[in-house]
Amino acid sequence: MKTELSPRAKVALYGLMCVLLIPFVFPTWWMITSSVKPISDIFAFPPDLWPRRFDWLTYQRVFELQPFGRQYWNSAYIAAIVTVGTMVVSSMAGYAFARIKFPFSNALFMVVLLGLLIPSEVTIVPLFQMFLGWNMINTHWPLILVPIFGAPSVFATFVMRQFFISLPGELEEAARVDGLGRFKIFWTIALPLAKPALGAVAIFTFLHSWNLYLEPIVFLSSTHMFTLPQALTQFTDAYGGAMWNIQLAAATMTAIPVLLVFIVAQKQFVEGLAHTGLKG
Amino acid sequence: MSKFAYLKNTAALAAILLPLAASGTAWAQDAVNLRMTIWSANEAHLALFNEIAAGFTETHPNVSVTFEPLPFENYTTTLTTQIAGGNAPDLAWIFETSAADFVTSNALAPLTDAFGATDGYELDDVTESATALWTREGQLYAYPFSTSPFAVFSNNDLITAAGARTPAELIEAGEWNWDNALATAKAVADAGNEGLVIRDFNYQTWQNLTSFWRGWGADSWSADGKTCTFADQPMIDAMTAFHNAVFVDGSIPGPGENVDFFAGDAAMTVTQISRASLLPQDGFDWDLVPLPEGPAGSYSVVGQAGVGVFANRPNTETAVEFLAYMTNPENSQKLAQFFPPARASLLNTETLSATNPLLTPEQIETVVVNGITNGQVIAGRTNFAQIQQSVRAALDALWVADADVPAVLGNVCTSINPLLMR
Amino acid sequence: MSQPIDTKRKPAFWTMHRRDAAAGYLFIAPQLLGIITFVLIPLGLVFYYSLHEWNVLANTFTFVGDANYQLLLRDPNLPQVLWASAVFSAGLVVLNMSLALLLAVLLDQKLKGIVVFRTLFFSPVVVSLVAWTIVWSFLLQANGGINGMLAMIGIEGPNWLRLPSTAMVSVVVVQVLKNVGLNMILFLAALQGVPKELYEAARVDGAGRFKQFRRITLPMISPTILLTSIITIVGSLQVFAQIAILTKGGPGVSTTVLVYYLYQQAFQFNFFGYGSTLSILLFLIVAVLTFIQWQMRKRIVFYEN
């Protein structure tokens, strides 16, 4: 399909993509610009593409109303730990399921895949009871342990397995003849080759943890323990009325850094996804 | 089945839960930390609560109290999840709509005897109309710390600009009724702003329409909670009037429109007087008046919130003591600056003026004192959440321009009658 | 296998086989134990609850046998809820997959600045789900941004989230726009992996662009299509925050999908027993769907490496 296009076709293509882009870009644009509008201007009809008046105080209010910096830190460090932990757990399991022959490996893989099928709403009550038994309610442990070891990491394991299956076996065989142990092979040969897949796993996992919504609501109860998605729904007056502009300012602050990271690292990002082994 | 037996059952399935059952013993004289869930994250509220808690710690040095704000939107859900997980707080705010569920369950500790035995509590001072919702078989199960009348806030700048009559003028002329109130709203809406907003209704939380339909003598179900009255004539008349206001006159903003009275968008709003704190400091010329008269005469409606203590917990006794302290006459007066009190001795213009500097003595007299004294609470019921959801789903059909009002209301009853009969 | 066997000595316990097996178990141990602890045991507990009537407030927990499953069969809302779930999932998968494929084909062209477009189409994926949904809940209101834009070109837009005819479409579209970027990138990667010689050969044979796409591209990327569709369907059955923020299941019960319904029953109405029963139902549906798709791969997938 990669033939040079005629100039006319190029113009048509640019035009089509620009139109398609509107619903993808406009909401983010509206979120950012509305976050500095006074509340009475937010619902102007038709909407303003650029604020008529600026109210920068909204950003200050975000930090006054909630320990937002602390909540930012909570989300960031939880996502970081979960990402690294998932990379370790899932690459090990994925490697074993793909390249080591051991009894019941297929059956056990099916057991692990069960995790893919269970929505978190289904098991949230028993999980709550378990973590209460371990005195881990209103701590970040449930948000760290469950994603790394539980259902959310299954997808990562699946991706890693698919990747390792597609890897040629010769390198490994040579290493085995040299008498290298399984762990050495995994660590020094397989893992370095798996960088693109690990990159994809890291991205998926980070976004999943960063966006987690139901679990923090259930497991966390004090504001200084909250994560960002949970904090976003908290910008209300004492009677539950939403403070729209402040909410949008907070939402903007949660989105911008991730967007910036994406723009800077987007080449690696896309290539990482392209190598997930989901190709086939 | 008792909580303990239940825990044993669960533990049989998952031995992981065992530590739970073992933690049931009280730490008699050791440090006690009471946890109280609330739905306000307001700093001024929290400061006051902490001040009251500090006062309690002076006489009970081993006791501390933590106030835990839960999201308003998911408050009861989060609370019941905590209870389901075996992690109930010691005390909790309770919405009036879930009052029946909490009071009739055995979840809460009885309060009457303990309050009566507390020196200087003056339980008789707490009005019976305020406690009715929270009482079962002569025992109080939660204390109504907030009894807030519904009233009308008006934006007189918008109303005069539209050349319409303000609520104050209508009251003076003795013509403050829903017809004229909606006419004023329509004039403002026609002039390019918005008319009258039933706050927090949002075409979902229909129970807030009680402040409207009681004017027609309508209600959602019979007093015993067993018969649906949505399809009765008063409700049909009230909802027809409401539907016309929305879809014919435009005097009430339609579904999915975001209109904020306190941002200066609308002529009037019906809400609880505690929302006065949302008025902008250098904003418009506002007024606060009682609800207009309806075809069925004058009426008032109050919203309530209670605090209960969870029963059979290690610190239940201490928690009841703290609640008695928190709601004693002295602290009730402090709470009155945010939460209209249930104590007769505080229901006077002098006391309330001191704590509510925003309101004029006249507003306090006509709206707050009269409202609390005569007001009736929104109809609640056990299993309210499910009934609320069923009514909401059926009422959705009403919020279109060509709705058949009696037919939709008939459907409401069809869908909730089986639930009411249970 | 090829190790020389020394018959004089006792055979070593740690044969290659055994060492491999031990390594394998060690490698999967964290994941497996995690699944047992955080998925299987909770699932067993959910099944246990589903045999009980559990009133959280009244603190009663009574064994009722299959009563909750009987209730499932008689629940008047359930047919509508299942229908809503089916419509939501079908709509989501079809729209998501076809839009992702279209975008991937567009982005596969040699054009200047294509990276910018790729970035922008992908950007909703990195915006937090709650923020994205809250913004759309504003935009879709009767006097919100969408109708504002429509008004500029003289169209009076409907009240998107309040009408049975548009609410479901709105929820699906919001969700597709949020996540289509992921599938788009996966398709793009698959497209770029199709050997160019195939196209050249087809062109020599005189096949047009459309024919090339149907005869070469689609079969070559069919494994990706299968996998992304499984992920998308499983994901679509777990949609929760979007419904909670956009429609709360309304109008009527038109957008009450199964996950949202079980959340209502368990957490809002406090029927934890019945909620658990619905959870088991949801689990079975997801399992059966995944199984069917997995079986189908033999018929629709052109090749597999």
Side-chain angles (χ1 to χ4, degrees), chain C residues 41-107:
Chain C
I41 292 180
L43 192 64
L45 282 170
V46 168
F47 179 68
Y48 178 69
Y49 300 155
S50 76
L51 303 175
H52 291 76
E53 189 174 307
W54 179 4
N55 185 326
V56 173
L57 285 183
N59 197 15
T60 52
F61 191 74
T62 345
F63 181 77
V64 292
D66 65 350
N68 284 322
Y69 291 86
Q70 301 273 355
L71 197 62
L72 197 67
L73 299 175
R74 282 183 281 115
D75 186 340
N77 288 323
L78 200 60
Q80 284 167 290
V81 168
L82 291 177
W83 174 246
S85 307
V87 170
F88 178 83
S89 295
L92 184 87
V93 171
V94 169
L95 193 60
N96 188 325
M97 303 290 285
S98 43
L99 186 59
L101 197 54
L102 171 69
L103 293 177
V105 169
L106 291 180
L107 292 175

Coordinates of all heavy atoms in Angstrom, one line a residue, chain C residues 41-107:
Chain C
I41 N -9.6 -17.6 44.8 CA -10.3 -17.6 46.1 C -11.4 -16.6 46.2 O -12.5 -16.9 46.6 CB -9.2 -17.4 47.2 CG1 -8.3 -18.6 47.3 CG2 -9.9 -17.1 48.6 CD1 -7.3 -18.5 48.4
P42 N -11.2 -15.3 45.7 CA -12.3 -14.4 45.7 C -13.5 -14.9 44.9 O -14.7 -14.8 45.3 CB -11.7 -13.1 45.1 CG -10.3 -13.2 45.4 CD -9.9 -14.6 45.4
L43 N -13.2 -15.5 43.7 CA -14.3 -16.1 42.9 C -15.0 -17.1 43.6 O -16.3 -17.2 43.6 CB -13.7 -16.6 41.6 CG -14.7 -16.9 40.5 CD1 -15.4 -15.6 40.0 CD2 -14.1 -17.6 39.3
G44 N -14.3 -18.0 44.3 CA -15.0 -19.0 45.1 C -15.9 -18.4 46.2 O -17.0 -18.8 46.4
L45 N -15.4 -17.3 46.8 CA -16.2 -16.6 47.8 C -17.4 -16.0 47.2 O -18.5 -16.1 47.8 CB -15.3 -15.5 48.5 CG -14.3 -16.1 49.6 CD1 -13.4 -14.9 50.0 CD2 -15.1 -16.6 50.8
V46 N -17.3 -15.5 46.0 CA -18.4 -14.9 45.4 C -19.5 -15.9 45.1 O -20.7 -15.7 45.3 CB -18.0 -14.2 44.0 CG1 -19.2 -13.8 43.2 CG2 -17.2 -12.9 44.3
F47 N -19.0 -17.1 44.7 CA -20.0 -18.2 44.5 C -20.6 -18.6 45.8 O -21.9 -18.8 45.9 CB -19.3 -19.4 43.8 CG -20.2 -20.6 43.6 CD1 -21.2 -20.5 42.7 CD2 -20.1 -21.7 44.4 CE1 -22.1 -21.5 42.5 CE2 -21.0 -22.8 44.2 CZ -21.9 -22.7 43.2
Y48 N -19.9 -18.6 46.9 CA -20.4 -18.9 48.2 C -21.4 -17.9 48.6 O -22.5 -18.2 49.1 CB -19.2 -18.9 49.2 CG -19.6 -19.2 50.6 CD1 -20.1 -20.4 51.0 CD2 -19.4 -18.2 51.6 CE1 -20.4 -20.7 52.4 CE2 -19.7 -18.4 52.9 CZ -20.2 -19.6 53.3 OH -20.5 -19.9 54.6
Y49 N -21.1 -16.6 48.4 CA -22.1 -15.6 48.7 C -23.4 -15.8 47.9 O -24.5 -15.5 48.4 CB -21.6 -14.2 48.4 CG -20.4 -13.7 49.1 CD1 -19.5 -12.8 48.5 CD2 -20.0 -14.3 50.3 CE1 -18.4 -12.4 49.2 CE2 -18.9 -13.9 51.0 CZ -18.1 -12.9 50.4 OH -16.9 -12.5 51.0
S50 N -23.2 -16.2 46.6 CA -24.4 -16.3 45.7 C -25.4 -17.3 46.2 O -26.5 -17.3 45.8 CB -24.0 -16.6 44.3 OG -23.6 -17.9 44.2
L51 N -25.0 -18.2 47.2 CA -25.9 -19.2 47.7 C -26.6 -18.6 49.0 O -27.2 -19.4 49.7 CB -25.2 -20.5 48.0 CG -24.5 -21.1 46.8 CD1 -23.6 -22.3 47.3 CD2 -25.5 -21.5 45.8
H52 N -26.3 -17.4 49.3 CA -26.8 -16.8 50.5 C -27.6 -15.5 50.3 O -27.5 -14.9 49.3 CB -25.7 -16.5 51.5 CG -25.0 -17.7 52.0 ND1 -24.1 -18.4 51.2 CD2 -25.0 -18.3 53.2 CE1 -23.6 -19.4 51.9 NE2 -24.2 -19.4 53.1
E53 N -28.5 -15.2 51.3 CA -29.1 -13.9 51.3 C -28.3 -13.1 52.3 O -28.3 -13.5 53.5 CB -30.6 -14.0 51.6 CG -31.2 -12.7 51.4 CD -32.7 -12.8 51.6 OE1 -33.3 -13.6 51.0 OE2 -33.2 -12.0 52.4
W54 N -27.7 -12.1 51.9 CA -26.8 -11.3 52.8 C -27.3 -9.9 52.8 O -27.2 -9.1 51.9 CB -25.4 -11.4 52.2 CG -24.3 -10.7 53.0 CD1 -24.5 -10.1 54.2 CD2 -23.0 -10.5 52.7 NE1 -23.3 -9.5 54.6 CE2 -22.4 -9.8 53.7 CE3 -22.2 -10.9 51.6 CZ2 -21.0 -9.4 53.7 CZ3 -20.9 -10.6 51.6 CH2 -20.3 -9.9 52.6
N55 N -27.9 -9.5 54.0 CA -28.3 -8.1 54.2 C -27.2 -7.5 55.0 O -27.1 -7.8 56.2 CB -29.6 -8.1 54.8 CG -30.1 -6.6 54.9 OD1 -29.3 -5.7 55.1 ND2 -31.4 -6.4 54.8
V56 N -26.4 -6.6 54.4 CA -25.3 -6.0 55.1 C -25.7 -5.2 56.3 O -25.1 -5.3 57.4 CB -24.5 -5.1 54.1 CG1 -23.4 -4.4 54.9 CG2 -23.9 -6.0 53.0
L57 N -26.8 -4.4 56.2 CA -27.2 -3.5 57.3 C -27.8 -4.3 58.4 O -27.4 -4.1 59.6 CB -28.2 -2.5 56.8 CG -27.6 -1.4 55.9 CD1 -28.6 -0.4 55.6 CD2 -26.4 -0.7 56.7
A58 N -28.7 -5.2 58.1 CA -29.3 -6.0 59.1 C -28.4 -7.0 59.7 O -28.6 -7.7 60.6 CB -30.6 -6.6 58.6
N59 N -27.2 -7.2 59.0 CA -26.2 -8.2 59.4 C -26.8 -9.6 59.4 O -26.6 -10.3 60.4 CB -25.6 -7.8 60.7 CG -24.3 -8.5 61.0 OD1 -23.7 -9.0 60.1 ND2 -23.9 -8.5 62.3
T60 N -27.5 -9.9 58.4 CA -28.0 -11.3 58.3 C -27.3 -12.0 57.1 O -27.1 -11.4 56.1 CB -29.5 -11.4 58.1 OG1 -29.8 -10.5 57.0 CG2 -30.2 -10.9 59.3
F61 N -27.0 -13.2 57.3 CA -26.3 -14.0 56.2 C -26.8 -15.4 56.3 O -26.5 -16.2 57.1 CB -24.8 -14.0 56.6 CG -23.9 -14.5 55.4 CD1 -23.7 -13.8 54.3 CD2 -23.3 -15.8 55.6 CE1 -22.9 -14.2 53.3 CE2 -22.5 -16.2 54.5 CZ -22.3 -15.5 53.4
T62 N -27.8 -15.7 55.4 CA -28.6 -16.9 55.5 C -28.4 -17.8 54.3 O -28.5 -17.2 53.2 CB -30.1 -16.7 55.7 OG1 -30.3 -15.3 56.0 CG2 -30.7 -17.5 56.8
F63 N -28.2 -19.0 54.5 CA -28.1 -19.9 53.3 C -29.4 -20.1 52.6 O -30.4 -20.4 53.3 CB -27.6 -21.3 53.8 CG -27.4 -22.3 52.6 CD1 -26.3 -22.2 51.8 CD2 -28.4 -23.3 52.4 CE1 -26.1 -23.1 50.7 CE2 -28.2 -24.1 51.3 CZ -27.1 -24.0 50.5
V64 N -29.5 -19.8 51.3 CA -30.8 -19.9 50.7 C -30.7 -20.9 49.5 O -31.6 -20.9 48.6 CB -31.3 -18.5 50.2 CG1 -31.6 -17.7 51.3 CG2 -30.3 -17.9 49.3
G65 N -29.6 -21.6 49.3 CA -29.6 -22.5 48.2 C -29.5 -21.8 46.9 O -28.8 -20.8 46.7
D66 N -30.4 -22.3 46.0 CA -30.3 -21.7 44.6 C -31.4 -20.6 44.5 O -31.7 -20.2 43.4 CB -30.5 -22.8 43.6 CG -31.9 -23.4 43.7 OD1 -32.6 -23.2 44.6 OD2 -32.3 -24.2 42.7
A67 N -31.9 -20.1 45.6 CA -32.9 -19.1 45.5 C -32.5 -17.9 44.6 O -33.3 -17.3 43.8 CB -33.3 -18.6 46.9
N68 N -31.2 -17.4 44.8 CA -30.8 -16.3 44.0 C -30.7 -16.6 42.5 O -30.9 -15.8 41.7 CB -29.4 -15.8 44.5 CG -29.5 -15.1 45.8 OD1 -30.4 -14.3 46.0 ND2 -28.5 -15.3 46.7
Y69 N -30.4 -17.9 42.2 CA -30.4 -18.3 40.8 C -31.8 -18.4 40.2 O -32.0 -18.1 39.1 CB -29.6 -19.6 40.6 CG -28.1 -19.4 40.9 CD1 -27.6 -19.5 42.2 CD2 -27.3 -19.1 39.9 CE1 -26.3 -19.3 42.5 CE2 -25.9 -18.9 40.1 CZ -25.4 -19.0 41.4 OH -24.1 -18.7 41.7
Q70 N -32.8 -18.8 41.1 CA -34.2 -18.8 40.7 C -34.6 -17.3 40.4 O -35.3 -17.0 39.4 CB -35.1 -19.3 41.8 CG -34.7 -20.7 42.2 CD -35.4 -21.7 41.4 OE1 -36.3 -21.4 40.6 NE2 -35.1 -23.0 41.6
L71 N -34.2 -16.4 41.3 CA -34.5 -15.0 41.1 C -34.0 -14.5 39.8 O -34.6 -13.7 39.1 CB -33.9 -14.2 42.3 CG -34.4 -12.8 42.6 CD1 -35.9 -12.9 42.9 CD2 -33.6 -12.2 43.7
L72 N -32.8 -14.9 39.4 CA -32.1 -14.5 38.2 C -33.1 -14.8 37.0 O -33.2 -14.0 36.1 CB -30.8 -15.3 38.0 CG -29.8 -14.9 37.1 CD1 -29.2 -13.6 37.5 CD2 -28.7 -15.9 37.0
L73 N -33.7 -16.0 37.1 CA -34.6 -16.4 35.9 C -35.9 -15.5 35.9 O -36.5 -15.4 34.9 CB -34.9 -17.9 36.1 CG -33.7 -18.8 36.0 CD1 -34.2 -20.3 36.2 CD2 -33.0 -18.7 34.7
R74 N -36.2 -15.0 37.1 CA -37.5 -14.3 37.1 C -37.3 -12.8 37.1 O -38.3 -12.1 37.0 CB -38.3 -14.7 38.4 CG -39.0 -16.1 38.3 CD -39.8 -16.4 39.5 NE -38.9 -16.8 40.6 CZ -38.7 -16.2 41.8 NH1 -39.3 -15.1 42.0 NH2 -37.9 -16.7 42.7
D75 N -36.1 -12.3 37.2 CA -35.8 -10.9 37.3 C -36.3 -10.2 36.1 O -35.9 -10.4 34.9 CB -34.3 -10.7 37.4 CG -34.0 -9.2 37.7 OD1 -34.8 -8.4 37.4 OD2 -32.9 -8.9 38.2
P76 N -37.4 -9.3 36.2 CA -38.0 -8.7 35.0 C -37.0 -7.7 34.3 O -37.2 -7.5 33.1 CB -39.2 -7.9 35.6 CG -38.8 -7.7 37.1 CD -38.0 -8.9 37.5
N77 N -36.0 -7.2 35.0 CA -35.0 -6.3 34.4 C -34.0 -7.0 33.6 O -33.4 -6.4 32.7 CB -34.3 -5.5 35.5 CG -35.3 -4.5 36.1 OD1 -36.1 -3.9 35.4 ND2 -35.1 -4.2 37.4
L78 N -33.7 -8.3 33.9 CA -32.6 -9.0 33.3 C -32.6 -9.0 31.8 O -31.5 -8.8 31.2 CB -32.4 -10.4 34.0 CG -31.0 -10.9 33.8 CD1 -30.0 -10.0 34.5 CD2 -30.9 -12.3 34.4
P79 N -33.7 -9.4 31.2 CA -33.7 -9.4 29.7 C -33.2 -8.1 29.1 O -32.3 -8.0 28.2 CB -35.1 -9.7 29.3 CG -35.7 -10.4 30.5 CD -35.0 -9.8 31.7
Q80 N -33.7 -7.0 29.6 CA -33.3 -5.7 29.1 C -31.9 -5.4 29.4 O -31.1 -4.8 28.6 CB -34.2 -4.6 29.8 CG -35.6 -4.4 29.3 CD -36.4 -3.6 30.2 OE1 -36.7 -4.0 31.3 NE2 -36.7 -2.4 29.8
V81 N -31.4 -5.8 30.6 CA -30.0 -5.6 30.9 C -29.1 -6.4 30.0 O -28.1 -5.8 29.5 CB -29.7 -6.0 32.4 CG1 -28.3 -6.0 32.7 CG2 -30.5 -5.0 33.3
L82 N -29.4 -7.6 29.8 CA -28.6 -8.4 28.9 C -28.6 -7.9 27.5 O -27.6 -7.8 26.8 CB -29.1 -9.9 28.9 CG -28.9 -10.6 30.2 CD1 -29.4 -12.0 30.1 CD2 -27.4 -10.7 30.5
W83 N -29.8 -7.4 27.0 CA -29.9 -6.8 25.7 C -29.0 -5.5 25.6 O -28.3 -5.4 24.7 CB -31.4 -6.5 25.4 CG -31.6 -5.7 24.1 CD1 -32.0 -4.4 24.0 CD2 -31.3 -6.2 22.8 NE1 -32.1 -4.1 22.7 CE2 -31.6 -5.2 21.9 CE3 -30.8 -7.4 22.3 CZ2 -31.5 -5.3 20.5 CZ3 -30.7 -7.6 20.9 CH2 -31.0 -6.5 20.0
A84 N -29.1 -4.7 26.7 CA -28.3 -3.5 26.7 C -26.8 -3.9 26.6 O -26.0 -3.3 25.9 CB -28.5 -2.7 27.9
S85 N -26.4 -4.9 27.4 CA -25.0 -5.3 27.3 C -24.6 -5.8 26.0 O -23.5 -5.5 25.5 CB -24.8 -6.5 28.3 OG -25.2 -6.1 29.6
A86 N -25.5 -6.6 25.3 CA -25.2 -7.1 24.0 C -25.0 -6.0 23.0 O -24.1 -5.9 22.2 CB -26.3 -8.1 23.6
V87 N -26.0 -5.0 23.1 CA -25.9 -3.9 22.1 C -24.7 -3.1 22.4 O -23.9 -2.7 21.4 CB -27.2 -3.0 22.3 CG1 -27.0 -1.7 21.5 CG2 -28.4 -3.7 21.9
F88 N -24.4 -2.8 23.6 CA -23.2 -2.0 23.9 C -21.9 -2.7 23.4 O -21.1 -2.1 22.7 CB -23.1 -1.8 25.4 CG -21.8 -1.1 25.8 CD1 -21.8 0.3 25.8 CD2 -20.7 -1.7 26.2 CE1 -20.7 1.0 26.2 CE2 -19.5 -1.0 26.6 CZ -19.5 0.3 26.5
S89 N -21.8 -4.0 23.7 CA -20.6 -4.7 23.3 C -20.5 -4.9 21.8 O -19.4 -4.6 21.2 CB -20.5 -6.1 24.0 OG -20.4 -6.0 25.4
A90 N -21.6 -5.2 21.2 CA -21.5 -5.4 19.7 C -21.2 -4.0 19.1 O -20.3 -3.9 18.2 CB -22.9 -5.9 19.2
G91 N -21.9 -3.0 19.5 CA -21.6 -1.7 18.9 C -20.2 -1.2 19.1 O -19.5 -0.8 18.2
L92 N -19.7 -1.5 20.4 CA -18.4 -1.0 20.7 C -17.3 -1.8 19.8 O -16.4 -1.2 19.3 CB -18.1 -1.3 22.2 CG -16.7 -0.8 22.6 CD1 -16.8 0.7 23.0 CD2 -16.2 -1.6 23.8
V93 N -17.5 -3.1 19.8 CA -16.5 -3.9 19.0 C -16.5 -3.5 17.6 O -15.5 -3.2 17.0 CB -16.8 -5.4 19.2 CG1 -15.9 -6.2 18.3 CG2 -16.5 -5.7 20.7
V94 N -17.7 -3.5 17.0 CA -17.8 -3.2 15.5 C -17.2 -1.8 15.2 O -16.3 -1.6 14.4 CB -19.2 -3.2 15.0 CG1 -19.3 -2.7 13.6 CG2 -19.7 -4.7 15.1
L95 N -17.6 -0.8 16.0 CA -17.2 0.6 15.8 C -15.7 0.7 16.0 O -14.9 1.3 15.3 CB -18.0 1.6 16.6 CG -17.8 3.0 16.3 CD1 -18.3 3.3 14.9 CD2 -18.6 3.9 17.2
N96 N -15.2 0.1 17.2 CA -13.8 0.2 17.5 C -12.9 -0.4 16.5 O -12.0 0.2 16.0 CB -13.7 -0.4 18.9 CG -12.3 -0.2 19.5 OD1 -11.3 -0.2 18.7 ND2 -12.2 0.0 20.8
M97 N -13.3 -1.6 16.1 CA -12.4 -2.3 15.2 C -12.4 -1.7 13.8 O -11.3 -1.5 13.2 CB -12.9 -3.8 15.0 CG -13.0 -4.6 16.3 SD -11.4 -4.9 17.0 CE -10.9 -6.2 16.0
S98 N -13.6 -1.2 13.3 CA -13.5 -0.7 12.0 C -12.9 0.7 12.0 O -12.1 1.0 11.0 CB -14.9 -0.6 11.4 OG -15.9 -0.2 12.3
L99 N -13.1 1.5 13.0 CA -12.4 2.8 13.0 C -10.9 2.6 13.2 O -10.1 3.3 12.6 CB -13.0 3.6 14.2 CG -12.5 5.1 14.3 CD1 -12.9 5.8 13.0 CD2 -13.1 5.8 15.5
A100 N -10.5 1.7 14.1 CA -9.1 1.4 14.3 C -8.4 1.0 13.0 O -7.4 1.5 12.6 CB -8.9 0.3 15.3
L101 N -9.1 0.2 12.2 CA -8.6 -0.3 10.9 C -8.5 0.8 9.9 O -7.4 1.0 9.3 CB -9.4 -1.5 10.4 CG -8.8 -2.3 9.3 CD1 -7.5 -2.9 9.8 CD2 -9.7 -3.5 9.0
L102 N -9.5 1.6 9.9 CA -9.5 2.8 9.0 C -8.4 3.7 9.3 O -7.6 4.1 8.4 CB -10.9 3.5 9.1 CG -10.9 4.9 8.3 CD1 -10.9 4.6 6.8 CD2 -12.1 5.7 8.7
L103 N -8.3 4.1 10.6 CA -7.2 5.0 11.0 C -5.8 4.4 10.7 O -4.9 5.1 10.2 CB -7.3 5.3 12.5 CG -8.6 6.2 12.9 CD1 -8.6 6.4 14.4 CD2 -8.5 7.5 12.2
A104 N -5.7 3.1 11.0 CA -4.4 2.4 10.7 C -4.0 2.5 9.3 O -2.9 2.8 8.9 CB -4.4 1.0 11.2
V105 N -5.0 2.3 8.4 CA -4.7 2.3 6.9 C -4.3 3.8 6.6 O -3.4 4.0 5.8 CB -6.0 1.9 6.1 CG1 -5.8 2.2 4.7 CG2 -6.2 0.4 6.4
L106 N -5.1 4.7 7.1 CA -4.7 6.1 6.8 C -3.3 6.5 7.2 O -2.6 7.1 6.6 CB -5.7 7.1 7.4 CG -7.2 7.1 6.9 CD1 -8.0 8.1 7.7 CD2 -7.2 7.4 5.4
L107 N -3.0 6.0 8.4 CA -1.7 6.4 9.0 C -0.6 5.6 8.4 O 0.6 5.9 8.7 CB -1.7 6.2 10.5 CG -2.6 7.1 11.3 CD1 -2.7 6.7 12.8 CD2 -2.2 8.6 11.2

